[in-house]
């Protein structure tokens, strides 16, 4: 535990005047009562100590709080996640997962709790885990890790899968070590592939944005690697060539995009001569100058990280340092770090960070924000009640940044994720009616296309059941349906029946104002869940990009799990001065030294 002593009282003139007066009264009284000047220095020290003691007594009667960090030891847990999607449907499935479960249990020589669960249904009874799920994704694995980490220290995570994952696009894993246990025989697969974020990219004119592209290859030595083509609005924009003419088994390259115009581009990234291996995303360049009123108890390194990213995102943050918040200045955007107002701002964009549990009153319901950013640590939650609010508990951005700097030499991944979070939180306009965002512009056949719909206007939020008319069409079919906007934030899903290119249109009419959203998405004919066998390339991507271990089932017994010290859960609380454990020691120290001086001066 260590105190954060910077507080509002540092800038409080009346308090400083009162404390100074108490100190000098104590100093002067004990100084001038001694007429002898033989021991002037000792008398001065005695008067100084008595003045400090008097100040300490005065502070005990002042309603001033000290902010403390308190850590609690968490019990240890080992997690075994079983992929229960359709592609795992082999005759040896049940025998395999039972054998793996027994081996992992034998491997657990510590007192850690072992939890076994299915990826899709989450059942914890091995007999109920069967391959029935429609899809599997790496993001779902991380979602389970987040949920199972609550009030526990996850020392190790085991994931049984064939690698036929429908979705690899998720935040880079920064949690406990993951061991992947491959299932099924290796099948023939493509010799080269790409993976990169396909979520809509938003930037401002002149801002340089970076798209990380993962390239993996199983080409034989001497085979020439094809170039990567970047198409913008259907025209070739950039060609990326393999270093030395050959792509390695796995490497990550950086695509930098910048534009001075306010425009929307369609970006597609593909292998030369193999356009079927490509996919794309939407890049929106828009002008904005958001202003945020931010509140914190005291400065710390996390605020420096926030400031730097906000400046790059053209967002101006005005910090208010206070011990409590009585009145909020007028603003459309707020940020609260370790402190909460008495009343939550209505119809505003708000970011809550490091809020102590004990000061949460009338806390709005939050749900996990699993799709925020391409590379963001899985600590963020969103409010389903407020307009565009985010909440994070016990996050250390500074430590995240330093860890990333140590491992990669930069903190671009964290910055890009925070950057996107800022835009999601603070770039909504209060006079907008609602917004619709496409979760992914490209899906596989058998998946649902997801739209994220938010109500952004307080009048609209209070008026329940506003109809939204949808029209989704392809070359062969047209589907029209209505969905009611019943929540401030909700998901709308649609399952295409055929592969191909689709256009969507969503219309709302409210109080004579028409709002329309349009766009397109692609449905691929290939679905990894239809393949039976091990996708070794996907497993290699996870091994290189995410740093996971690939462990064959026969190697489990040979593993040695390191018994890591259980982590501590850090919480922040406010205490009175006399409750601070060091306060009594300091006061006793002052009295002890003063007593020795009195003994020396024969005052006893």
């Amino acid at each position: 535990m260590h105190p954060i002593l910077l507080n509002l009282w540092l800038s409080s003139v009346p308090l400083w005047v009162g404390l100074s007066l108490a100190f000098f009264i104590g100093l002067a009284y004990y100084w001038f009562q001694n007429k002898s000047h033989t021991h002037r220095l000792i008398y001065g020290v005695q008067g100084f100590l008595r003045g400090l003691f008097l100040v300490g007594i005065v502070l005990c009667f002042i309603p001033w709080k000290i902010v403390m960090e308190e850590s609690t030891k968490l019990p240890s847990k080992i997690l075994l996640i079983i992929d229960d999607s359709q592609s795992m449907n082999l005759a040896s499935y049940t025998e395999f997962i039972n054998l793996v479960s027994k081996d992992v249990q034998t491997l657990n020589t510590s007192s850690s709790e072992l939890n076994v669960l299915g990826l899709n249904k989450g059942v914890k009874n091995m007999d109920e885990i069967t391959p029935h799920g429609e899809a599997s994704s790496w993001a779902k694995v991380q979602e389970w890790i987040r949920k199972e980490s609550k009030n526990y220290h996850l020392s190790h995570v085991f994931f049984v899968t064939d690698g036929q994952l429908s979705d690899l696009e998720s935040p880079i894993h920064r949690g406990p070590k993951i061991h992947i246990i491959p299932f099924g025989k290796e099948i023939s697969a493509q010799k080269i592939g790409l993976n990169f974020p396909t979520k809509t990219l938003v930037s401002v004119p002149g801002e340089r944005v970076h798209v990380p592209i993962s390239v993996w290859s199983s080409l034989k030595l001497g085979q020439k690697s094809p170039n990567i083509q970047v198409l913008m609005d259907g025209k070739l924009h950039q060609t990326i060539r393999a270093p030395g003419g050959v792509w390695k088994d796995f490497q990550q390259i950086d695509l930098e995009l910048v534009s001075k115009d306010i425009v929307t581009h369609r970006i597609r990234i593909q292998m030369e001569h193999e356009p079927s291996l490509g996919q794309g995303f939407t890049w929106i360049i828009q002008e904005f100058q958001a202003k945020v009123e931010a509140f914190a108890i005291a400065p710390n390194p996390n605020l420096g990280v926030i400031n730097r990213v906000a400046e790059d995102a053209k967002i101006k943050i005005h910090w208010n340092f206070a011990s409590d918040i009585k009145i909020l200045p007028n603003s459309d955007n707020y940020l609260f770090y370790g402190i909460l107002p008495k009343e939550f701002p209505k119809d505003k964009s708000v970011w809550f960070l490091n809020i102590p549990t004990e000061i949460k009153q009338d806390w709005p319901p939050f749900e996990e924000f699993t799709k925020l950013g391409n590379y963001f640590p899985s600590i963020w939650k969103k409010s389903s009640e407020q307009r565009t609010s985010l909440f994070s508990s016990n996050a250390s951005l500074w430590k995240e940044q330093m860890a990333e700097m140590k491992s990669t030499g930069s903190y671009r991944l964290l910055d890009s994720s925070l950057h996107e979070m800022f835009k999601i939180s603070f770039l909504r306009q209060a006079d907008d009616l609602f917004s619709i965002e496409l979760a992914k512009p490209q899906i596989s056949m058998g998946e649902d296309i997801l739209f994220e719909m938010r109500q952004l206007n307080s009048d609209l939020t209070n008026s329940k059941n506003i109809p939204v008319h949808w029209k989704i069409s392809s070359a062969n079919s047209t589907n029209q349906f209505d969905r009611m906007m019943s929540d401030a934030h909700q998901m709308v899903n649609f399952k295409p029946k055929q592969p191909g290119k689709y256009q969507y249109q969503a219309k709302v009419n409210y109080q004579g104002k028409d709002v329309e959203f349009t766009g397109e998405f692609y449905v691929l004919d290939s679905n990894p869940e239809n393949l039976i066998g091990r996708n070794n390339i996907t497993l290699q991507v996870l091994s290189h990009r995410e740093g996971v271990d690939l462990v064959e089932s026969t190697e489990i017994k040979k593993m040695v799990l390191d018994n890591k010290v259980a982590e501590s859960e850090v919480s922040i609380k406010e205490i009175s001065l006399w409750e601070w454990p060091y306060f009594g020691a300091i006061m006793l120290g002052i009295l002890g030294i003063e007593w020795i001086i009195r003994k020396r001066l024969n005052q006893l």
Side-chain angles (χ1 to χ4, degrees):
M1 268 191 306
H2 64 278
I4 304 173
L5 294 178
L6 291 176
N7 212 319
L8 177 64
W9 66 278
L10 289 175
S11 59
S12 175
V13 175
L15 182 58
W16 268 113
V17 172
L19 294 180
S20 300
L21 181 61
F23 172 76
F24 284 113
I25 288 176
L27 176 64
Y29 175 75
Y30 291 106
W31 177 275
F32 290 112
Q33 76 171 356
N34 297 285
K35 304 299 183 182
S36 172
H37 298 286
T38 307
H39 305 288
R40 182 186 297 271
L41 179 60
I42 297 179
Y43 283 132
V45 173
Q46 185 183 41
F48 178 77
L49 293 174
R50 288 174 171 175
L52 283 181
F53 187 77
L54 186 59
V55 168
I57 294 176
V58 172
L59 282 174
C60 289
F61 293 95
I62 295 175
W64 171 57
K65 300 289 185 179
I66 292 180
V67 180
M68 303 285 294
E69 287 186 1
E70 190 175 58
S71 60
T72 305
K73 292 293 182 181
L74 300 177
S76 182
K77 179 194 291 186
I78 295 177
L79 191 61
L80 174 59
I81 305 174
I82 309 293
D83 186 352
D84 55 4
S85 58
Q86 287 288 347
S87 64
M88 301 283 286
N89 194 12
L90 291 176
S92 58
Y93 177 80
T94 302
E95 180 183 356
F96 185 86
I97 63 174
N98 282 325
L99 180 63
V100 167
S101 177
K102 291 179 182 178
D103 288 345
V104 173
Q105 180 68 63
T106 304
L107 193 64
N108 180 23
T109 57
S110 64
S111 58
S112 300
E113 176 185 339
L114 175 63
N115 267 25
V116 183
L117 50 87
L119 180 62
N120 287 286
K121 284 203 170 181
V123 293
K124 298 185 179 182
N125 188 332
M126 290 293 295
D127 297 334
E128 299 179 24
I129 301 178
T130 57
H132 54 257
E134 291 186 354
S136 57
S137 72
W138 184 242
K140 185 69 175 178
V141 174
Q142 297 195 41
E143 183 179 341
W144 276 120
I145 292 176
R146 281 193 298 274
K147 291 180 178 179
E148 294 294 321
S149 296
K150 187 175 182 181
N151 300 324
Y152 281 92
H153 163 59
L154 283 184
S155 57
H156 296 274
V157 175
F158 292 87
F159 177 40
V160 179
T161 181
D162 57 2
Q164 304 292 358
L165 302 176
S166 305
D167 183 14
L168 281 179
E169 185 179 325
S170 64
I172 282 183
H173 175 71
R174 296 182 185 173
K177 188 69 175 181
I178 299 180
H179 311 277
I180 290 186
I181 304 173
F183 171 71
K185 295 182 179 180
E186 185 174 344
I187 60 175
S188 59
Q190 60 195 48
K191 297 295 182 181
I192 194 166
L194 301 172
N195 182 262
F196 54 88
T198 57
K199 192 175 178 67
T200 299
L201 187 64
V202 182
S203 67
V204 297
E207 177 189 355
R208 297 183 182 276
V209 294
H210 299 268
V211 180
I213 304 175
S214 298
V215 187
W216 63 93
S217 170
S218 59
L219 296 174
K220 295 181 180 179
L221 187 64
Q223 284 186 281
K224 186 178 180 181
S225 297
N227 298 324
I228 296 176
Q229 295 180 328
V230 181
L231 283 69
M232 183 180 294
D233 301 326
K235 298 180 180 179
L236 183 63
H237 172 70
Q238 184 178 347
T239 299
I240 304 175
R241 293 176 171 81
V246 179
W247 294 114
K248 300 177 182 178
D249 56 348
F250 180 87
Q251 62 188 101
Q252 194 168 65
I253 58 177
D254 177 69
L255 170 62
E256 182 181 281
L257 298 173
V258 62
S259 174
K260 296 182 179 179
D261 301 322
I262 300 176
V263 68
T264 298
H265 291 300
R266 305 291 180 183
I267 305 295
R268 181 173 176 81
I269 303 174
Q270 62 188 32
M271 303 304 302
E272 190 177 22
H273 309 310
E274 293 187 72
S276 61
L277 298 182
Q279 53 185 332
F281 59 88
T282 302
W283 178 28
I284 302 174
I285 303 98
Q286 64 182 38
E287 187 66 64
F288 58 81
Q289 290 289 338
K291 295 181 179 180
V292 181
E293 286 290 336
F295 294 83
I297 293 177
N300 62 61
N302 285 349
L303 306 190
V305 178
I306 294 171
N307 275 338
R308 187 191 66 250
V309 178
E311 184 177 352
D312 293 339
K314 302 296 189 297
I315 293 176
K316 295 181 179 179
I317 295 185
H318 175 247
W319 285 98
N320 303 272
F321 296 104
S323 58
D324 55 34
I325 307 171
K326 297 179 180 178
I327 300 177
L328 285 174
N330 186 30
S331 179
D332 283 334
N333 308 291
Y334 294 95
L335 186 153
F336 301 104
Y337 186 96
I339 188 173
L340 285 178
K342 293 183 178 180
E343 293 186 6
F344 289 103
K346 303 297 183 182
D347 188 36
K348 306 295 182 182
S349 293
V350 189
W351 183 20
F352 305 100
L353 176 63
N354 270 23
I355 305 299
T357 306
E358 56 269 18
I359 70 172
K360 296 174 186 175
Q361 296 178 350
D362 301 325
W363 192 245
F366 279 85
E367 56 183 306
E368 292 198 21
F369 208 115
T370 57
K371 279 294 184 181
L372 174 61
N374 299 313
Y375 296 101
F376 206 56
S378 55
I379 50 179
W380 298 95
K381 297 183 178 183
K382 63 185 176 184
S383 169
S384 57
E385 297 269 325
Q386 294 180 271
R387 183 155 60 92
T388 52
S389 301
L390 294 177
F391 161 63
S392 169
S393 180
N394 294 328
S396 178
L397 303 179
W398 177 260
K399 291 180 181 178
E400 287 275 355
Q401 177 182 265
M402 292 300 101
E404 184 178 323
M405 173 64 75
K406 184 177 180 180
S407 62
T408 65
S410 70
Y411 37 73
R412 179 180 297 166
L413 300 183
L414 178 62
D415 275 15
S416 63
S417 302
L418 278 172
H419 200 177
E420 184 175 352
M421 183 279 302
F422 271 124
K423 290 173 181 177
I424 291 175
S425 292
F426 300 136
L427 302 183
R428 309 294 184 190
Q429 299 299 318
D431 57 353
D432 288 344
L433 284 176
F434 77 113
S435 71
I436 291 179
E437 295 179 23
L438 188 63
K440 291 199 304 181
Q442 182 172 289
I443 62 171
S444 297
M445 191 65 198
E447 291 184 75
D448 283 6
I449 190 77
L450 296 177
F451 300 92
E452 193 166 13
M453 187 163 58
R454 290 188 180 93
Q455 299 182 27
L456 307 179
N457 183 277
S458 58
D459 295 334
L460 187 63
T461 304
N462 295 330
S463 302
K464 299 292 184 180
N465 297 325
I466 303 297
V468 181
H469 182 72
W470 290 82
K471 180 180 179 181
I472 300 178
S473 58
S474 66
N476 302 317
S477 63
T478 299
N479 293 272
Q480 299 190 55
F481 54 90
D482 289 330
R483 293 285 177 87
M484 297 296 178
M485 289 201 301
S486 56
D487 298 313
H489 170 269
Q490 64 191 84
M491 303 297 291
V492 174
N493 65 307
F494 175 77
K495 178 172 286 188
K497 296 182 179 180
Q498 293 180 335
K501 180 180 179 181
Y502 285 76
Q503 285 82 33
Y504 69 87
Q505 179 189 69
K507 287 184 177 181
V508 132
N509 179 281
Y510 181 72
Q511 293 184 347
K513 184 176 181 179
D514 291 313
V515 182
E516 179 180 309
F517 287 85
T518 60
E520 62 185 27
F521 60 89
Y522 293 85
V523 180
L524 303 182
D525 195 9
S526 61
N527 187 341
E529 298 300 341
N530 294 330
L531 303 176
I532 302 297
R534 183 187 303 187
N535 188 334
N536 192 54
I537 289 185
T538 298
L539 297 177
Q540 291 299 324
V541 171
L542 292 176
S543 175
H544 286 84
R545 192 184 73 182
E546 307 285 341
V548 304
D549 284 342
L550 296 180
V551 182
E552 295 293 337
S553 58
T554 55
E555 300 174 348
I556 297 177
K557 294 181 179 179
K558 302 176 184 179
M559 293 179 61
V560 177
L561 298 186
D562 54 330
N563 295 321
K564 296 181 179 179
V565 179
E567 292 181 349
S568 298
E569 187 176 62
V570 180
S571 60
I572 300 176
K573 66 176 183 178
E574 290 186 343
I575 62 172
S576 299
L577 179 64
W578 59 83
E579 296 177 293
W580 182 38
Y582 300 110
F583 176 74
I586 292 174
M587 296 292 282
L588 286 175
I590 292 174
L591 281 177
I593 298 174
E594 197 272 342
W595 183 86
I596 294 173
I597 292 175
R598 291 173 64 192
K599 184 76 173 177
R600 173 71 175 80
L601 297 176
N602 296 317
Q603 294 177 353
L604 294 178

